[in-house]
């Protein structure tokens, strides 16, 4: 059994991570079971990614001190995460800003 390459299944959304996390964006999948997200930190600084079923949950998780399920994205990093469908995302940095692009889909 092989690993299926990542296939986009929804529009890419972006936000600018900063010391104060911006309003969360929702990554909507075009399929019922779209639960994987390709997350690309295009900046040079670490982003502490918050996610959740609504904007408030994502904002509460985006914190520069790692708590709960906060995900750390290195500068220039690309990761694929398996989460619940149609999640909201935002992120914080300890300094500076970074554009983060998120694409819902399927595969690794």
């Amino acid at each position: 059994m092989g690993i299926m390459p990542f296939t986009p299944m929804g529009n890419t959304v972006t936000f600018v991570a900063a010391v104060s996390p911006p309003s969360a964006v929702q990554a909507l999948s075009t399929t019922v079971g779209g639960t994987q997200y390709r997350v690309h930190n295009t900046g040079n600084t670490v982003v502490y990614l918050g996610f959740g079923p609504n904007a408030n949950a994502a904002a509460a998780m985006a914190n520069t001190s790692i708590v709960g399920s906060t995900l750390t994205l290195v500068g220039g990093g690309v990761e694929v995460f398996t989460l619940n469908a149609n999640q909201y995302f935002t992120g914080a940095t300890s300094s500076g800003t970074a554009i983060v692009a998120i694409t819902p889909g399927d595969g690794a």
Side-chain angles (χ1 to χ4, degrees), residues 15-35:
F15 65 87
V16 179
V19 174
S20 294
S23 297
V25 296
Q26 187 177 26
L28 293 170
S29 177
T30 56
T31 64
V32 174
T35 59

Side-chain angles (χ1 to χ4, degrees), residues 3 5-6 17-18 28 32 34 46 48 53 55 62 74 77 80 82 94-95 97-98 108:
I3 295 176
F6 186 81
L28 293 170
V32 174
V46 172
Y48 301 91
V74 298
V80 176
T82 301
S94 2
S95 66
T97 61

Side-chain angles (χ1 to χ4, degrees), residues 1-6 36 107-108:
M1 179 179 206
I3 295 176
M4 185 175 93
F6 186 81
Q36 291 184 299

Side-chain angles (χ1 to χ4, degrees), residues 15-69:
F15 65 87
V16 179
V19 174
S20 294
S23 297
V25 296
Q26 187 177 26
L28 293 170
S29 177
T30 56
T31 64
V32 174
T35 59
Q36 291 184 299
Y37 302 89
R38 179 184 181 270
V39 182
H40 181 193
N41 176 0
T42 67
N44 294 322
T45 188
V46 172
V47 172
Y48 301 91
L49 185 71
F51 63 92
N54 56 55
N56 289 338
M61 191 182 290
N63 192 319
T64 56
S65 62
I66 300 176
V67 295
S69 298

